[in-house]
């Protein structure tokens, strides 16, 4: 059967690969950028409002050729323009990490506090944005012939517990979308969700480290999750889960138990 590909390929090498990370200027995205660059990839650091952070991050990365690129999740035309810039510079994309996201802390029981504008912004950024990014970069991912998309999701998408009902809904939608895309982008591209629980970043407005530590204390492993812990899981999914697609990898200290 000529369409079959051989297994037993070992680790997915990152040296010389082209990686694009949305939301790459801070938090999990920035930690992932650092890990990818350290492993030998040339990284495109996508940003929305964090251009200075992205450029400062690039200045500290090992290797050469890394670039900062305006990649806003709310603007599909700008995403298409970013994909064209990457095509002109590199001709392909081997790794796409959708790390950009947004939320707002809204008590679940306060339905009136979750207004339409907030709901729409969260869904637009966390669901349509990643889809528009994958849609724009799909030809470049196919051009690689052996590529991977990592969608940074959340345990909230599985439990319905999180910063807001809209955020939980957005991550549930992202996971379902990953299933659909894993089918249509195969066999050239794997699609994997990486779903952390609370991470010690400033992603959730108003949630301090004390709250994250409190949540960590209630988990079986009792470890405070840092951004680099999630980045390592992303790296492992890229390099070692060669036969995994359409799956969600939970990084939550066993909180789901």
């Amino acid at each position: 059967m000529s369409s079959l590909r051989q297994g037993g390929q070992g680790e997915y090498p990152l040296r010389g690969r082209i990686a694009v990370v949305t939301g790459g200027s801070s938090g999990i995205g920035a930690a992932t950028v650092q890990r990818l660059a350290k492993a030998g990839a040339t990284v495109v650091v996508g940003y929305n409002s964090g251009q200075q952070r992205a450029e400062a991050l690039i200045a500290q990365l090992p290797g050469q050729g890394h670039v900062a690129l305006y990649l806003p999740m709310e603007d599909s035309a700008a995403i298409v323009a970013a994909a064209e810039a990457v095509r002109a510079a590199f001709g392909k994309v081997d790794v796409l990490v959708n790390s950009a996201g947004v939320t707002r802390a809204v008590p679940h029981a306060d339905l009136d506090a979750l207004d339409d504008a907030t709901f729409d912004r969260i869904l637009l950024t966390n669901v349509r944005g990643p889809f528009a990014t994958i849609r724009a970069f799909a030809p470049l991912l196919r051009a690689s012939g052996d590529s991977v998309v990592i969608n940074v999701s959340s345990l909230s998408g599985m439990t319905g517990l999180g910063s807001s009902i809209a955020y939980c809904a957005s991550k549930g939608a992202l996971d379902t979308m990953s299933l659909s895309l894993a089918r249509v982008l195969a066999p050239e591209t794997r699609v994997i969700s990486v779903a952390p629980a609370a991470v010690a970043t400033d992603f959730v407005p108003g949630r301090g480290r004390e709250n994250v530590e409190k949540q960590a204390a209630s988990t079986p492993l009792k470890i405070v999750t840092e951004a680099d812990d999630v980045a390592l899981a992303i790296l492992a999914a890229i390099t070692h889960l060669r036969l995994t697609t359409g799956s969600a990898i939970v990084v939550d200290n066993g909180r789901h138990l």
Side-chain angles (χ1 to χ4, degrees):
M1 302 179 71
S2 59
S3 62
L4 286 177
R5 300 191 295 174
Q6 287 296 317
Q9 297 178 18
E11 296 180 18
Y12 182 84
L14 281 168
R15 187 158 302 280
R17 302 276 187 177
I18 307 301
V20 176
V21 182
T22 73
S25 67
S26 62
I28 292 171
T32 301
V33 165
Q34 292 171 311
R35 283 289 174 179
L36 289 168
K38 185 177 180 180
T42 298
V43 188
V44 177
V45 182
Y47 67 86
N48 181 15
S49 60
Q51 180 177 0
Q52 290 184 339
R53 291 195 308 269
E55 292 174 349
L57 175 61
I58 285 172
Q60 301 171 2
L61 296 178
Q64 297 179 339
H66 312 297
V67 296
L69 189 63
Y70 181 54
L71 239 174
M73 293 297 96
E74 300 87 354
D75 187 342
S76 292
I79 293 171
V80 170
E84 175 56 27
V86 173
R87 186 203 64 76
F90 302 108
K92 66 167 186 171
V93 170
D94 301 294
V95 177
L96 171 61
V97 180
N98 277 311
S99 181
V102 69
T103 192
R104 180 183 147 200
V106 180
H108 285 212
D110 192 351
L111 302 184
D112 292 330
L114 186 56
D115 58 85
D116 288 352
T118 299
F119 202 104
D120 289 350
R121 179 172 180 250
I122 290 172
L123 268 291
L124 176 64
T125 305
N126 295 1
V127 184
R128 198 193 79 180
F131 174 77
T133 302
I134 293 169
R135 179 178 61 196
F137 281 89
L140 295 174
L141 292 163
R142 293 192 190 99
S144 165
D146 186 11
S147 56
V148 57
V149 173
I150 303 293
N151 290 325
V152 179
S153 184
S154 171
L155 186 66
S156 297
M158 305 173 192
T159 63
L161 300 170
S163 52
S164 73
I165 289 176
Y167 179 75
C168 296
S170 74
K171 293 304 184 178
L174 183 63
D175 287 340
T176 302
M177 187 172 72
S178 296
L179 290 173
S180 300
L181 289 168
R183 294 187 183 99
V184 301
L185 295 180
E188 297 91 351
T189 305
R190 292 176 283 145
V191 181
I192 302 171
S193 290
V194 172
V199 183
T201 68
D202 59 0
F203 174 68
V204 179
R207 184 186 70 185
R209 187 178 182 89
E210 181 180 352
N211 184 273
V212 176
E213 291 178 352
K214 182 179 178 180
Q215 292 188 45
S218 68
T219 67
L221 297 184
K222 301 186 185 307
I223 299 172
V224 178
T225 305
E226 303 289 349
D228 185 60
D229 296 316
V230 184
L232 277 173
I234 291 170
L235 192 71
I238 294 168
T239 61
H240 283 67
L241 301 186
R242 298 295 301 268
L243 303 187
T244 299
T245 193
S247 297
I249 309 302
V250 177
V251 186
D252 71 340
N253 279 310
R255 188 180 177 191
H256 66 281
L257 298 174

